[in-house]
């Protein structure tokens, strides 16, 4: 950790696992509290481990090649402003060597304002980080029963409140 390369959140950096058992280490210090994503992309299968300033593990991901996307590993993590976080990147297997792209970005909620639902029209949303909530409003044109459902890979919970905020 003492020789960690300082990087700024919100930037991408090309790096490489140069030899078997090589471990790259970076240090970041967010300017603002919030959710951030630390991920790697490329053909080199990588593992990411994130440690806080006390060197305690606070985030980890090894996709084990389960995904076909270009993202090798992704750690969504809540970070506190002006604290150091150490990011280590290493090959998923001893012989995983080569370049990768380290990506760091702030996770912004895709639905911070409420979105008005229209009857029988699908609305796209996403749960971008742990604790993310998407809020939708619906004003029925007539009295009756209505069904709301979500589709996709995420296990979601839907809660309906009336106009006064009552469950």
């Amino acid at each position: 950790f003492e020789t960690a390369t300082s990087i700024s959140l919100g930037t991408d950096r090309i790096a490489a696992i140069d030899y078997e058992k090589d471990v790259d280490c970076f240090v970041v210090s967010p300017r603002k509290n919030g959710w951030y994503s630390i991920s790697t992309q490329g053909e080199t299968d990588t593992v990411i481990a994130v440690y806080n300033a006390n060197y305690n593990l606070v985030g980890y991901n090894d996709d084990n090649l389960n995904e076909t996307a270009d993202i090798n590993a992704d750690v969504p993590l809540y970070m506190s402003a002006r604290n150091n976080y150490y990011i280590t990147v290493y090959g998923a297997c001893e012989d995983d060597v080569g370049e990768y792209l380290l990506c760091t970005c702030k996770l912004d909620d895709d639905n911070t304002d409420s979105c008005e639902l229209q009857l029988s029209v699908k609305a796209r949303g996403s749960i971008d980080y742990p604790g993310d909530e998407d809020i939708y409003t619906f004003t029925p044109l007539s009295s009756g029963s209505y069904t709301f459902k979500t589709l996709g890979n995420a296990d979601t919970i839907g809660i309906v409140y009336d106009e006064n905020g009552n469950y």
Side-chain angles (χ1 to χ4, degrees), residues 5-26:
T5 302
S6 181
I7 60 172
S8 298
L9 286 168
T11 61
D12 296 343
R13 180 184 184 96
I14 295 174
I17 303 300
D18 296 316
Y19 51 87
E20 290 183 11
K21 299 184 182 182
D22 183 18
V23 178
D24 293 345
C25 189
F26 305 91

Side-chain angles (χ1 to χ4, degrees), residues 5-73:
T5 302
S6 181
I7 60 172
S8 298
L9 286 168
T11 61
D12 296 343
R13 180 184 184 96
I14 295 174
I17 303 300
D18 296 316
Y19 51 87
E20 290 183 11
K21 299 184 182 182
D22 183 18
V23 178
D24 293 345
C25 189
F26 305 91
V27 61
V28 297
S29 182
R31 292 184 185 146
K32 295 182 178 181
N33 293 338
W35 284 95
Y36 294 86
S37 171
I38 311 298
S39 65
T40 55
Q41 297 179 13
E43 293 183 17
T44 305
D45 190 17
T46 57
V47 175
I48 297 173
V50 182
Y51 300 84
N52 64 16
N54 296 322
Y55 310 117
N56 295 315
L57 182 67
V58 293
Y60 173 87
N61 185 258
D62 175 10
D63 71 352
N64 294 316
L65 293 176
N66 289 333
E67 299 176 17
T68 58
D70 286 337
I71 297 175
N72 290 319

Side-chain angles (χ1 to χ4, degrees), residues 68-90:
T68 58
D70 286 337
I71 297 175
N72 290 319
D74 184 18
V75 177
L77 182 68
Y78 186 86
M79 295 181 172
S80 299
R82 295 177 297 283
N83 286 317
N84 285 338
Y85 292 87
Y86 296 93
I87 302 164
T88 61
V89 181
Y90 52 93

